[in-house]
Amino acid sequence: MKLSVLDQSPVLTGMSPHDALQQTTALAKWADQLGFHRFWVAEHHSTNSLAGSSPEILTTHLAAHTERIRIGTGGVLLPHYSSYKVAESFRVLETLYPNRIDLGVGRAPGGMPNVNLALNRGEIPSIEGYPAQVEELIAYLHGKDPQDMGIFASPQGDTAPPVWMLGSSGTSARVAADIGVSYSFAHFINGYGGARAMDRYTNNFQPSLQQQTPQGNVSIFVVCAESDEQAEYLAASLDLALLKIEQGGIRHHFPTPEEAFSYPYTMFEEQRIRENRSRMVVGSIEKVKSEVESLANYYQVDEVIINTIVSPFEERMKSYELIADAFQLRESVASESFHF
């Protein structure tokens, strides 16, 4: 089974956005050394607690600072942009780093409603045209001229970055199947119904210019530590962060475990935290390995993407290391290099 990383460049307590992006860079290098398969970065706008607003630029930076791991976007929010421009940006990336770039796309706004207006010159983008926009994007990536305008996306080349459609519902799964792209289900956003969505994608997949068979993965929050007790302590900060996100609270940073344990939770909030645990795997090395394997089996996929947000940063790095060692990722990479 392949394991990958999703990083949202969280701004931790006492840190700046500069620190957050430096931590993303350090984590990408670490994930590369540990043997993770891919490293994706997200797109969020007008938020103080997440520093990643331009994943295509961050992807360029990370690819230059890593050697083996696939680097990509999780994802570019396509309705905000021109398919042609996105295709050219990723054709440049593919030319610089052939066979290492992924283009994950989504249709979410990426922030509060006014973000839509700011990114689209005062207008609300149409999500109804999203499927056609994805098809247009794929065509440009593969050197086609979908609008018969006598143009192509440059620079041209023999390889193209694969498009992954990101989603958290059955609707996105069916769109990915109809278009014929890979599909990534965001279990860390929606902890229910994902297996049905993946099944819908697999059973309805149509071959395309990009690929002939379905390919899916699932992403989830994970907190791993030496013991269940330590993992629960670290995960308390993520519990509080998710709660505040749902309540629409203004966040300037991701809280520390100490802040989480001193927070005066109501009975309703405690119940909501328990419900949110459906979006997370928390525990010791053995527990996390077992639950991640069960998740992959539940979704019938061979890849799980892990999103870990804990404080301090060193504990985040340690969590990924424990997971990598539990799945013997470093040994797998060493074996592949030897056979090559």
Side-chain angles (χ1 to χ4, degrees):
M1 185 173 70
K2 296 187 290 289
L3 294 182
S4 299
V5 176
L6 171 64
D7 187 66
Q8 296 173 291
S9 301
V11 181
L12 305 179
T13 298
M15 299 293 174
S16 68
H18 174 79
D19 296 325
L21 293 179
Q22 291 299 310
Q23 289 170 353
T24 291
T25 305
L27 184 58
K29 292 179 180 179
W30 189 222
D32 195 15
Q33 295 173 29
L34 289 174
F36 284 91
H37 180 59
R38 61 179 107 239
F39 190 100
W40 285 355
V41 289
E43 177 176 339
H44 296 276
H45 300 285
S46 190
T47 173
N48 290 315
S49 59
L50 297 171
S53 58
S54 183
E56 64 276 23
I57 291 180
L58 194 49
T59 293
T60 307
H61 173 75
L62 298 178
H65 284 80
T66 53
E67 297 179 359
R68 174 202 56 82
I69 194 169
R70 296 189 66 88
I71 305 291
T73 55
V76 169
L77 304 180
L78 194 58
H80 294 316
Y81 312 115
S82 154
S83 294
Y84 182 64
K85 179 57 179 175
V86 172
E88 290 209 315
S89 295
F90 279 81
R91 286 243 42 95
V92 169
L93 278 165
E94 181 69 17
T95 303
L96 288 169
Y97 309 102
N99 297 312
R100 284 190 60 209
I101 302 299
D102 294 326
L103 173 47
V105 297
R107 63 178 185 178
M112 299 299 288
N114 282 346
V115 163
N116 276 322
L117 299 176
L119 286 171
N120 293 276
R121 294 179 290 182
E123 298 182 0
I124 300 295
S126 171
I127 62 172
E128 285 75 18
Y130 176 63
Q133 194 179 11
V134 175
E135 291 183 303
E136 184 180 63
L137 172 64
I138 294 171
Y140 280 130
L141 287 170
H142 288 265
K144 307 298 182 181
D145 182 14
Q147 300 297 336
D148 294 322
M149 298 175 66
I151 63 173
F152 60 88
S154 59
Q156 291 186 308
D158 295 331
T159 62
V163 172
W164 285 78
M165 185 170 290
L166 316 181
S168 57
S169 70
T171 300
S172 58
R174 185 55 191 260
V175 173
D178 290 343
I179 295 174
V181 296
S182 298
Y183 181 62
S184 181
F185 187 87
H187 190 101
F188 75 100
I189 293 176
N190 178 13
Y192 302 99
R196 289 194 299 274
M198 189 63 69
D199 187 63
R200 186 178 190 184
Y201 162 72
T202 303
N203 290 335
N204 292 281
F205 182 85
Q206 300 296 314
S208 69
L209 178 65
Q210 173 174 293
Q211 62 196 73
Q212 295 299 303
T213 58
Q215 181 180 9
N217 63 36
V218 56
S219 53
I220 188 169
F221 285 121
V222 180
V223 178
C224 185
E226 296 284 0
S227 66
D228 288 339
E229 293 75 18
Q230 177 68 3
E232 288 291 338
Y233 173 76
L234 294 172
S237 59
L238 183 55
D239 288 332
L240 178 58
L242 295 179
L243 182 67
K244 286 301 180 183
I245 291 171
E246 292 178 344
Q247 293 175 343
I250 297 175
R251 298 175 298 128
H252 297 283
H253 60 262
F254 275 82
T256 64
E258 292 79 10
E259 289 176 283
F261 275 98
S262 65
Y263 184 85
Y265 296 98
T266 66
M267 289 181 61
F268 173 79
E269 289 173 330
E270 290 177 346
Q271 174 61 30
R272 187 59 198 153
I273 285 174
R274 287 191 291 270
E275 292 170 354
N276 273 335
R277 282 301 183 96
S278 68
R279 301 155 60 185
M280 303 163 62
V281 170
V282 177
S284 64
I285 302 168
E286 296 78 11
K287 181 181 179 183
V288 166
K289 185 174 188 294
S290 175
E291 293 193 13
V292 167
E293 289 174 336
S294 295
L295 184 76
N297 184 62
Y298 178 65
Y299 274 84
Q300 290 295 291
V301 296
D302 65 354
E303 180 182 5
V304 175
I305 301 181
I306 293 169
N307 183 359
T308 299
I309 304 178
V310 296
S311 183
F313 176 64
E314 292 73 19
E315 293 290 353
R316 193 151 135 238
M317 297 275 276
K318 183 65 175 177
S319 180
Y320 281 111
E321 181 180 18
L322 293 174
I323 295 166
D325 288 346
F327 284 88
Q328 300 180 318
L329 299 186
R330 280 186 272 205
E331 289 84 348
S332 298
V333 170
S335 175
E336 290 174 5
S337 299
F338 175 78
H339 287 298
F340 177 79

